[in-house]
């Protein structure tokens, strides 16, 4: 979850401060395993067993330390799973968990794959970190074959507790105003979120980028206080209120 994007070749890279932030080993580079497993199950059903369809290429873009891809691997057995990240520190850790982990960016020179080379892309907890999400989805669409699958997850700006916090004049959970420390919201961990989406905005954005949305579901957030977790799980029944948005789309 440490990939960023710039609009096109020749465009300056993100400022050194942002790049340095993501190269810091203390910055979290893994998301919740329960969300990863849910996405992997959907993808496994969509791709089918490798023995029947032949091995398919799955890119985990923004793979971080490789934890998510390693968690998904048993459900995607026989398929070719490749981790991609721009952080050298994250890749060094990912290579201890994955057979394939390569450096790549969603902007600049683009990903190191031919057009249509991938059958599926895992894009977990990355979108909220991007400088240019439009260029990112353009590049993902390029490397996916027609009909290829995009499995995306991102925090929900309109999560049930964020609605209450905004009414109280409190900065929403998941939002950031600084890369140095937390200001005005619950929590103590800075994670570098630049953009947040509601369920409606995510659907519209992905569809406008050349994808057909297959499904949008809600998932709980591991950072919710224990006493509120039953309510957080209950909110998943209505994705627009859920903590995390899980989206499955196909390249048109």
């Amino acid at each position: 979850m440490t990939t960023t994007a710039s609009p096109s070749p020749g465009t300056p890279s993100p400022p050194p401060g942002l790049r340095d932030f993501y190269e810091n080993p203390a910055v979290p580079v893994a998301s919740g395993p329960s969300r990863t497993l849910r996405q992997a199950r959907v993808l496994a059903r969509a791709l089918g067993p490798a023995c029947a369809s032949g091995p398919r290429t799955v890119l985990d873009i923004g793979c971080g330390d490789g934890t998510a891809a390693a968690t998904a691997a048993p459900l995607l057995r026989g398929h070719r799973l490749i981790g991609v990240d721009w952080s050298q520190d994250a890749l060094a850790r990912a290579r201890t968990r994955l057979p394939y982990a390569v450096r790549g960016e969603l902007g600049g020179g683009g990903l190191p794959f031919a057009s249509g080379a991938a059958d599926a892309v895992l894009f977990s907890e990355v979108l909220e970190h991007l400088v240019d999400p439009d260029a990112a989805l353009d590049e993902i669409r390029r490397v996916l074959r027609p009909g290829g699958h995009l499995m995306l997850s991102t925090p929900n700006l309109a999560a049930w507790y964020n609605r209450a916090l905004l009414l109280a004049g409190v900065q929403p959970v998941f939002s950031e105003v600084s890369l140095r420390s937390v200001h005005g919201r619950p929590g103590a961990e800075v994670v570098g979120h630049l953009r947040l989406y509601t369920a409606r905005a995510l659907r519209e954005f992905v569809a406008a980028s050349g994808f057909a949305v297959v499904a949008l579901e809600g998932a709980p957030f591991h950072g919710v206080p224990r006493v509120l977790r039953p309510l957080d799980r209950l909110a998943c029944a209505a994705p627009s209120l859920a903590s995390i948005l899980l989206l499955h789309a196909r390249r048109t």
Side-chain angles (χ1 to χ4, degrees):
M1 59 185 218
T2 54
T3 305
T4 192
S6 49
S8 60
T11 301
S13 295
L18 186 60
R19 186 178 291 273
D20 291 344
F21 174 82
Y22 288 119
E23 289 287 5
N24 181 353
V27 172
V29 289
S31 55
S34 62
R35 297 196 293 279
T36 298
L37 287 171
R38 284 181 62 176
Q39 290 181 298
R41 290 188 188 105
V42 173
L43 189 54
R45 289 195 297 269
L47 294 178
C51 59
S53 60
R56 302 297 177 92
T57 298
V58 180
L59 307 181
D60 182 6
I61 298 178
C63 67
D65 64 4
T67 300
T71 300
L75 296 175
L76 300 171
R77 198 176 304 280
H79 296 299
R80 187 180 302 107
L81 186 56
I82 303 173
V84 185
D85 210 289
W86 79 338
S87 167
Q88 297 287 15
D89 176 77
L91 284 172
R93 287 181 275 171
R95 287 173 181 138
T96 68
R97 298 181 171 95
L98 303 174
Y100 307 105
V102 300
R103 191 175 190 279
E105 298 189 32
L106 286 165
L111 296 169
F113 303 100
S115 298
D119 298 284
V121 165
L122 290 170
F123 202 47
S124 299
E125 319 296 304
V126 180
L127 194 62
E128 63 273 14
H129 297 265
L130 300 182
V131 174
D132 189 345
D134 302 278
L137 285 200
D138 286 348
E139 182 64 0
I140 288 173
R141 189 174 186 277
R142 181 189 70 80
V143 299
L144 275 173
R145 64 169 173 79
H149 301 272
L150 170 63
M151 305 299 303
L152 181 157
S153 68
T154 192
N156 182 10
L157 173 61
W160 60 276
Y161 41 80
N162 279 345
R163 298 182 186 214
L165 289 172
L166 279 169
L167 284 173
V170 177
Q171 187 80 12
V173 175
F174 308 123
S175 65
E176 305 272 43
V177 299
S178 170
L179 291 178
R180 297 178 180 175
S181 57
V182 171
H183 300 286
R185 67 158 171 83
E189 189 174 62
V190 178
V191 291
H193 291 174
L194 304 180
R195 300 178 183 276
L196 291 175
Y197 298 77
T198 64
R200 178 176 178 177
L202 185 64
R203 278 183 175 273
E204 291 183 4
F205 172 61
V206 171
S209 300
F211 294 86
V213 176
V214 177
L216 179 65
E217 301 179 6
F221 174 48
H222 60 271
V224 169
R226 186 176 299 275
V227 68
L228 295 176
R229 288 179 187 176
L231 186 56
D232 194 42
R233 289 192 293 270
L234 186 64
C236 294
S240 63
L241 296 174
S243 286
I244 305 294
L245 301 172
L246 302 179
L247 182 140
H248 175 202
R250 302 195 72 173
R251 181 198 186 281
T252 56

